[in-house]
Coordinates of all heavy atoms in Angstrom, one line a residue:
W1474 N 136.0 127.5 111.2 CA 137.0 128.5 110.8 C 138.4 127.9 110.6 O 139.4 128.5 110.8 CB 137.1 129.6 111.9 CG 135.8 130.3 112.1 CD1 134.9 130.0 113.1 CD2 135.2 131.3 111.4 NE1 133.8 130.8 113.0 CE2 134.0 131.7 112.0 CE3 135.6 132.1 110.2 CZ2 133.1 132.7 111.5 CZ3 134.8 133.1 109.8 CH2 133.6 133.4 110.4
G1477 N 142.1 127.3 105.3 CA 142.0 126.6 104.1 C 142.4 127.5 102.9 O 142.3 128.7 103.0
F1479 N 140.9 127.3 100.0 CA 139.9 127.3 99.0 C 138.8 128.4 99.4 O 138.2 128.3 100.4 CB 139.2 126.0 98.8 CG 140.2 124.9 98.5 CD1 140.6 123.9 99.4 CD2 140.8 124.8 97.2 CE1 141.5 122.9 99.1 CE2 141.7 123.8 96.9 CZ 142.0 122.9 97.9
N1480 N 138.7 129.4 98.5 CA 137.8 130.5 98.8 C 137.4 131.1 97.5 O 138.4 131.6 96.8 CB 138.4 131.5 99.7 CG 137.4 132.4 100.4 OD1 136.2 132.1 100.5 ND2 137.8 133.5 101.0
P1481 N 136.2 131.1 97.0 CA 135.0 130.7 97.8 C 134.8 129.2 97.7 O 135.4 128.5 96.9 CB 133.8 131.4 97.0 CG 134.3 131.5 95.6 CD 135.8 131.7 95.7
V1482 N 133.8 128.7 98.5 CA 133.3 127.3 98.4 C 132.0 127.3 97.8 O 131.1 128.2 98.1 CB 133.3 126.7 99.8 CG1 132.7 125.3 99.7 CG2 134.7 126.6 100.4
K1511 N 131.3 138.0 112.4 CA 130.0 138.4 111.8 C 129.7 137.4 110.6 O 130.5 137.3 109.7 CB 130.2 139.8 111.2 CG 128.9 140.3 110.5 CD 129.1 141.8 110.1 CE 127.8 142.3 109.4 NZ 127.9 143.7 108.9
V1512 N 128.6 136.8 110.7 CA 128.1 135.8 109.7 C 126.9 136.4 109.1 O 125.9 136.8 109.8 CB 127.8 134.4 110.4 CG1 127.2 133.5 109.3 CG2 129.1 133.8 111.0
V1513 N 126.8 136.4 107.8 CA 125.7 137.0 107.0 C 125.2 135.9 106.1 O 126.0 135.4 105.3 CB 126.0 138.2 106.2 CG1 124.8 138.7 105.4 CG2 126.5 139.4 107.2
Y1514 N 123.9 135.5 106.2 CA 123.3 134.6 105.3 C 122.2 135.3 104.5 O 121.3 136.0 105.1 CB 122.7 133.4 106.2 CG 121.8 132.5 105.4 CD1 122.3 131.3 104.8 CD2 120.4 132.8 105.1 CE1 121.5 130.5 104.1 CE2 119.6 131.9 104.4 CZ 120.1 130.8 103.9 OH 119.3 129.9 103.2
L1515 N 122.2 135.1 103.2 CA 121.2 135.7 102.3 C 120.9 134.7 101.2 O 121.8 134.0 100.7 CB 121.7 137.0 101.7 CG 121.8 138.2 102.5 CD1 122.6 139.3 101.7 CD2 120.5 138.7 102.9
F1520 N 119.4 139.0 98.3 CA 120.5 139.8 98.0 C 120.1 140.8 96.9 O 120.4 142.0 96.9 CB 121.7 138.9 97.5 CG 122.9 139.7 97.0 CD1 124.0 139.9 97.9 CD2 123.0 140.2 95.7 CE1 125.1 140.6 97.5 CE2 124.1 140.9 95.3 CZ 125.2 141.1 96.2
F1536 N 124.9 149.4 102.0 CA 124.7 148.0 101.6 C 126.0 147.3 101.4 O 126.2 146.2 101.9 CB 123.9 148.0 100.3 CG 123.7 146.6 99.7 CD1 122.8 145.7 100.2 CD2 124.6 146.2 98.7 CE1 122.7 144.4 99.6 CE2 124.5 144.9 98.1 CZ 123.5 144.1 98.6
K1537 N 126.9 148.0 100.7 CA 128.2 147.4 100.5 C 129.0 147.2 101.8 O 129.6 146.2 102.1 CB 129.0 148.3 99.6 CG 128.5 148.3 98.1 CD 129.3 149.2 97.3 CE 128.7 149.3 95.9 NZ 129.4 150.2 94.9
D1538 N 128.9 148.2 102.7 CA 129.7 148.1 104.0 C 129.1 147.0 104.8 O 129.9 146.3 105.5 CB 129.5 149.4 104.7 CG 130.3 150.6 104.1 OD1 131.2 150.3 103.3 OD2 130.0 151.7 104.4
E1539 N 127.8 146.8 104.8 CA 127.2 145.7 105.6 C 127.7 144.3 105.2 O 128.1 143.5 106.0 CB 125.7 145.8 105.5 CG 125.0 144.7 106.3 CD 125.1 144.8 107.8 OE1 125.5 145.8 108.3 OE2 124.8 143.8 108.4
L1540 N 127.8 144.1 103.9 CA 128.2 142.8 103.4 C 129.7 142.6 103.5 O 130.2 141.6 103.8 CB 127.7 142.6 101.9 CG 126.2 142.4 101.7 CD1 125.9 142.1 100.3 CD2 125.7 141.3 102.6
R1541 N 130.4 143.7 103.1 CA 131.9 143.5 103.0 C 132.6 143.6 104.4 O 133.8 143.4 104.5 CB 132.5 144.6 102.1 CG 131.9 144.4 100.7 CD 132.4 145.4 99.7 NE 131.7 145.3 98.5 CZ 131.9 146.0 97.4 NH1 132.9 146.9 97.3 NH2 131.1 145.8 96.3
D1542 N 131.7 143.8 105.4 CA 132.2 143.7 106.8 C 132.0 142.3 107.4 O 132.4 142.0 108.5 CB 131.5 144.7 107.7 CG 132.1 144.9 109.0 OD1 133.4 144.9 109.1 OD2 131.4 145.0 110.0
A1543 N 131.4 141.4 106.6 CA 131.1 140.1 107.1 C 132.4 139.2 107.1 O 133.3 139.3 106.2 CB 130.1 139.4 106.2
D1544 N 132.6 138.5 108.2 CA 133.7 137.5 108.2 C 133.4 136.2 107.4 O 134.3 135.6 106.9 CB 134.0 137.1 109.7 CG 134.5 138.3 110.5 OD1 135.6 138.8 110.3 OD2 133.7 138.8 111.4
L1545 N 132.1 135.9 107.3 CA 131.6 134.8 106.6 C 130.3 135.2 105.9 O 129.3 135.5 106.5 CB 131.4 133.6 107.5 CG 130.7 132.3 106.8 CD1 131.6 131.8 105.7 CD2 130.5 131.3 107.9
L1546 N 130.3 135.2 104.5 CA 129.1 135.5 103.8 C 128.6 134.2 103.1 O 129.3 133.5 102.4 CB 129.5 136.5 102.7 CG 128.3 136.9 101.7 CD1 127.2 137.5 102.5 CD2 128.8 137.8 100.6
L1547 N 127.3 133.9 103.4 CA 126.7 132.7 102.8 C 125.6 133.2 101.9 O 124.7 133.9 102.3 CB 126.1 131.9 104.0 CG 127.0 131.6 105.1 CD1 126.2 130.9 106.3 CD2 128.1 130.7 104.7
I1548 N 125.7 132.7 100.6 CA 124.7 133.1 99.6 C 124.0 131.8 99.1 O 124.7 130.9 98.5 CB 125.3 133.8 98.4 CG1 126.0 135.1 98.9 CG2 124.2 134.2 97.4 CD1 125.0 136.2 99.4
E1562 N 127.1 142.2 88.9 CA 128.2 143.1 89.1 C 128.5 143.4 90.6 O 129.7 143.3 91.0 CB 127.9 144.4 88.4 CG 129.1 145.4 88.4 CD 130.2 145.1 87.4 OE1 130.0 144.3 86.5 OE2 131.2 145.8 87.5
E1563 N 127.5 143.6 91.3 CA 127.7 143.9 92.8 C 128.1 142.7 93.5 O 129.0 142.7 94.4 CB 126.4 144.4 93.4 CG 126.5 144.8 94.8 CD 127.5 145.8 95.2 OE1 127.8 146.7 94.3 OE2 128.2 145.7 96.2
L1564 N 127.6 141.5 93.2 CA 128.0 140.3 93.8 C 129.4 140.0 93.5 O 130.2 139.5 94.3 CB 127.1 139.1 93.4 CG 127.3 137.8 94.0 CD1 127.2 137.8 95.5 CD2 126.4 136.7 93.5
F1565 N 129.8 140.2 92.3 CA 131.2 140.0 91.8 C 132.2 140.8 92.7 O 133.2 140.3 93.2 CB 131.4 140.3 90.4 CG 132.8 140.3 89.9 CD1 133.5 139.1 89.7 CD2 133.5 141.5 89.7 CE1 134.8 139.1 89.3 CE2 134.8 141.5 89.2 CZ 135.5 140.3 89.1
H1566 N 131.9 142.1 92.8 CA 132.8 143.0 93.5 C 132.8 142.7 95.0 O 133.8 142.8 95.7 CB 132.4 144.4 93.3 CG 132.8 144.9 91.9 ND1 134.0 145.0 91.4 CD2 132.0 145.3 90.9 CE1 134.0 145.4 90.2 NE2 132.8 145.6 89.8
T1567 N 131.6 142.2 95.5 CA 131.6 141.8 96.9 C 132.4 140.6 97.2 O 133.2 140.5 98.1 CB 130.1 141.5 97.4 OG1 129.3 142.7 97.2 CG2 130.0 141.0 98.8
L1568 N 132.3 139.6 96.3 CA 133.1 138.4 96.3 C 134.6 138.7 96.3 O 135.4 138.2 97.2 CB 132.7 137.5 95.2 CG 133.6 136.2 95.0 CD1 133.5 135.3 96.2 CD2 133.2 135.5 93.7
I1569 N 135.0 139.6 95.4 CA 136.4 139.9 95.3 C 136.9 140.6 96.5 O 138.0 140.3 97.1 CB 136.7 140.8 94.0 CG1 136.3 140.0 92.7 CG2 138.1 141.3 94.0 CD1 137.2 138.8 92.6
A1570 N 136.2 141.6 97.0 CA 136.6 142.3 98.2 C 136.7 141.4 99.4 O 137.7 141.5 100.2 CB 135.5 143.4 98.5
L1571 N 135.8 140.5 99.6 CA 135.9 139.6 100.8 C 137.1 138.6 100.6 O 137.8 138.4 101.6 CB 134.6 138.8 100.9 CG 133.4 139.7 101.4 CD1 132.1 138.8 101.3 CD2 133.6 140.1 102.8
V1572 N 137.2 138.0 99.5 CA 138.3 137.0 99.3 C 139.6 137.7 99.4 O 140.6 137.2 100.1 CB 138.2 136.4 97.9 CG1 139.4 135.5 97.6 CG2 136.9 135.5 97.9
Q1573 N 139.8 138.9 98.9 CA 141.1 139.6 99.0 C 141.4 140.0 100.4 O 142.6 140.1 100.8 CB 141.1 140.8 98.0 CG 141.2 140.5 96.6 CD 141.2 141.7 95.7 OE1 140.9 142.8 96.1 NE2 141.5 141.5 94.4
D1574 N 140.4 140.2 101.2 CA 140.6 140.6 102.6 C 140.7 139.4 103.5 O 140.7 139.5 104.7 CB 139.4 141.5 103.0 CG 139.7 142.3 104.2 OD1 140.9 142.6 104.4 OD2 138.8 142.6 105.0
G1575 N 140.7 138.2 102.9 CA 140.8 137.0 103.7 C 139.6 136.5 104.4 O 139.7 135.7 105.3
R1576 N 138.4 137.0 104.0 CA 137.2 136.6 104.6 C 136.6 135.4 103.8 O 136.9 135.3 102.6 CB 136.2 137.8 104.7 CG 136.8 138.9 105.5 CD 136.0 140.2 105.4 NE 136.6 141.3 106.0 CZ 136.4 141.7 107.2 NH1 135.5 141.1 108.0 NH2 137.1 142.8 107.7
R1577 N 135.7 134.7 104.4 CA 135.2 133.5 103.7 C 133.9 133.7 103.0 O 133.0 134.4 103.6 CB 135.0 132.3 104.8 CG 136.3 132.0 105.6 CD 137.4 131.6 104.7 NE 137.2 130.4 103.9 CZ 137.5 129.2 104.3 NH1 138.0 129.0 105.5 NH2 137.2 128.1 103.6
V1578 N 133.7 133.1 101.9 CA 132.5 133.1 101.1 C 132.0 131.7 100.7 O 132.9 130.9 100.2 CB 132.6 134.0 99.8 CG1 131.3 134.0 99.1 CG2 133.1 135.4 100.2
V1579 N 130.8 131.4 101.0 CA 130.2 130.1 100.6 C 128.9 130.3 99.9 O 128.1 131.1 100.4 CB 130.0 129.1 101.9 CG1 129.6 127.8 101.4 CG2 131.3 129.1 102.7
M1580 N 128.7 129.6 98.8 CA 127.5 129.7 98.0 C 127.0 128.4 97.6 O 127.7 127.4 97.7 CB 127.8 130.5 96.7 CG 128.3 131.9 97.0 SD 128.5 132.9 95.4 CE 129.2 134.4 96.1
L1596 N 132.3 136.5 87.1 CA 131.7 135.9 88.3 C 131.8 134.4 88.2 O 132.2 133.7 89.2 CB 130.3 136.3 88.5 CG 129.5 135.8 89.7 CD1 130.3 136.0 91.0 CD2 128.1 136.3 89.8
H1599 N 135.4 133.2 88.9 CA 135.8 133.2 90.3 C 135.2 132.2 91.1 O 135.8 131.7 92.1 CB 135.6 134.6 90.8 CG 136.7 135.6 90.5 ND1 136.8 136.2 89.3 CD2 137.7 136.1 91.2 CE1 137.8 137.0 89.3 NE2 138.4 136.9 90.4
L1600 N 133.9 131.8 90.8 CA 133.3 130.7 91.5 C 134.0 129.4 91.2 O 134.2 128.5 92.1 CB 131.8 130.6 91.1 CG 130.9 131.8 91.5 CD1 129.5 131.5 91.1 CD2 131.0 132.0 93.0

Side-chain angles (χ1 to χ4, degrees):
W1474 302 97
F1479 304 108
N1480 199 17
V1482 173
K1511 181 176 180 180
V1512 176
V1513 176
Y1514 171 94
L1515 289 170
F1520 178 95
F1536 173 80
K1537 293 177 181 180
D1538 290 344
E1539 176 68 17
L1540 290 185
R1541 297 179 192 184
D1542 189 42
D1544 295 291
L1545 173 61
L1546 176 63
L1547 309 173
I1548 302 290
E1562 180 79 10
E1563 181 57 33
L1564 182 58
F1565 169 76
H1566 289 297
T1567 298
L1568 172 63
I1569 295 301
L1571 289 170
V1572 171
Q1573 289 180 346
D1574 200 28
R1576 300 168 190 267
R1577 305 301 298 268
V1578 180
V1579 185
M1580 301 184 183
L1596 178 57
H1599 276 78
L1600 294 181

